[in-house]
Amino acid sequence: KQTLLPLLREETSSFIFPCKLAVQRPELQYMVMELLRCIPLLLFLLFVCGLDHFIFSILSIIQHHSFIEYSYQTSHHLSVNVMGTSLMAQLLRTTIGALNTSFDTEVETSNLACLPQPTGMTRQQYLNTCLPLAVLALLCLAQVYPFRLRRAIAAFYFPKREKTRVLFLYNKLLRQRKNFLHLQRGRVARRARQPPELGTLLLQWCRRRWPWLRRCLRRRCTLCGTPETPQHRPCPNPDCFALYCESCW
């Protein structure tokens, strides 16, 4: 609970608050990893759509530029004339005259049946193909909110385990704050032993010379770097120019 152990500014970024709608830093890492897993699917989908369009273009070029039409015309005329009036001539005229034929042939054909008949995908079909991947990406963005219910569900079924986890987290924060305070004290001490830079001295002189510049030339907290507010407290040592926010102080 916040009344038991208020979190510092540096600690807030490492926890997930279920009531906040914004995606927080721990959730952002998992969300980015899930989105990165969608990149191979996206590349495969782009490759398949590009290959489909390429094959359709090739087949369409073959269809339009490989069409060949054949036209075949032939004529056949056979006529046998038997002259004379004799019996043999009449006999030949009746027998051989049956061979008289006459016909014209005209054939037109093409290779249209052998050519490919490609059908390109419509824009709606492309959208329907990409829609599952878009839904998957939206689920990767929205999965952080159902995942926040995992702790509440586990605490409902295992209250003793939840109490143990809270105590462990509380003690872990205390140890981290103790180490953090020790490290920050050493860092501030090392900075205090160093002579002030020319820019820092010039900034301090300008702030004392023109007090109205304090709104523009705001200092920052020595530890966390938050901009200066009325709640910030300066170091009581007049020779020290350190400034601390309320939580760091």
Side-chain angles (χ1 to χ4, degrees):
K1 293 183 179 294
Q2 295 185 0
T3 56
L4 178 64
L5 185 65
L7 297 176
L8 299 179
R9 182 173 178 268
E10 293 79 8
E11 298 171 344
T12 304
S13 60
S14 60
F15 287 91
I16 299 176
F17 298 90
C19 297
K20 289 186 177 180
L21 295 179
V23 179
Q24 301 166 51
R25 182 180 297 179
E27 299 172 328
L28 187 62
Q29 298 177 357
Y30 294 102
M31 185 181 66
V32 171
M33 292 300 299
E34 293 295 333
L35 290 177
L36 290 178
R37 293 178 182 177
C38 296
I39 292 180
L41 296 177
L42 177 60
L43 296 177
F44 176 74
L45 184 61
L46 293 177
F47 172 76
V48 171
C49 292
L51 183 62
D52 173 78
H53 181 72
F54 174 75
I55 294 177
F56 168 74
S57 301
I58 295 298
L59 295 179
S60 180
I61 292 174
I62 294 175
Q63 180 188 13
H64 289 86
H65 297 277
S66 298
F67 177 73
I68 300 176
E69 185 176 8
Y70 301 91
S71 180
Y72 177 74
Q73 295 180 355
T74 181
S75 298
H76 181 75
H77 300 279
L78 178 61
S79 178
V80 179
N81 297 323
V82 180
M83 307 300 294
T85 58
S86 62
L87 181 61
M88 184 60 67
Q90 293 179 2
L91 182 60
L92 291 175
R93 192 178 296 114
T94 55
T95 55
I96 300 178
L99 299 177
N100 295 340
T101 56
S102 178
F103 61 88
D104 296 327
T105 303
E106 183 176 355
V107 179
E108 292 184 0
T109 183
S110 64
N111 62 343
L112 183 61
C114 302
L115 293 178
Q117 305 293 331
T119 302
M121 293 179 60
T122 61
R123 182 178 300 179
Q124 184 64 33
Q125 291 174 337
Y126 279 115
L127 291 178
N128 294 337
T129 305
C130 300
L131 184 61
L133 185 60
V135 173
L136 180 62
L138 291 178
L139 289 178
C140 292
L141 298 177
Q143 70 176 353
V144 295
Y145 301 105
F147 281 177
R148 294 179 183 179
L149 300 177
R150 293 179 297 181
R151 189 208 60 84
I153 296 174
F156 178 78
Y157 287 102
F158 305 98
K160 295 183 179 180
R161 184 65 175 175
E162 176 68 11
K163 182 179 179 180
T164 304
R165 294 178 67 249
V166 172
L167 292 176
F168 173 78
L169 179 61
Y170 179 76
N171 295 325
K172 178 182 177 181
L173 283 176
L174 290 181
R175 291 192 300 268
Q176 289 180 351
R177 287 189 179 184
K178 183 178 179 180
N179 297 333
F180 175 78
L181 182 62
H182 178 72
L183 294 176
Q184 294 299 332
R185 279 180 176 174
R187 186 169 68 89
V188 173
R190 289 192 300 270
R191 291 182 58 182
R193 287 192 294 267
Q194 297 177 358
E197 299 178 357
L198 180 61
T200 305
L201 296 177
L202 182 61
L203 180 63
Q204 294 295 331
W205 182 82
C206 293
R207 288 171 58 87
R208 290 193 300 266
R209 181 72 175 179
W210 299 288
W212 55 273
L213 288 177
R214 294 181 179 179
R215 295 183 178 180
C216 302
L217 303 177
R218 292 195 302 173
R219 294 184 296 174
R220 293 182 176 272
C221 176
T222 307
L223 294 181
C224 61
T226 54
E228 182 182 3
T229 60
Q231 287 74 25
H232 280 58
R233 300 183 182 183
C235 181
N237 187 357
D239 297 333
C240 181
F241 303 104
L243 185 69
Y244 303 93
C245 63
E246 187 176 4
S247 59
C248 293
W249 178 259

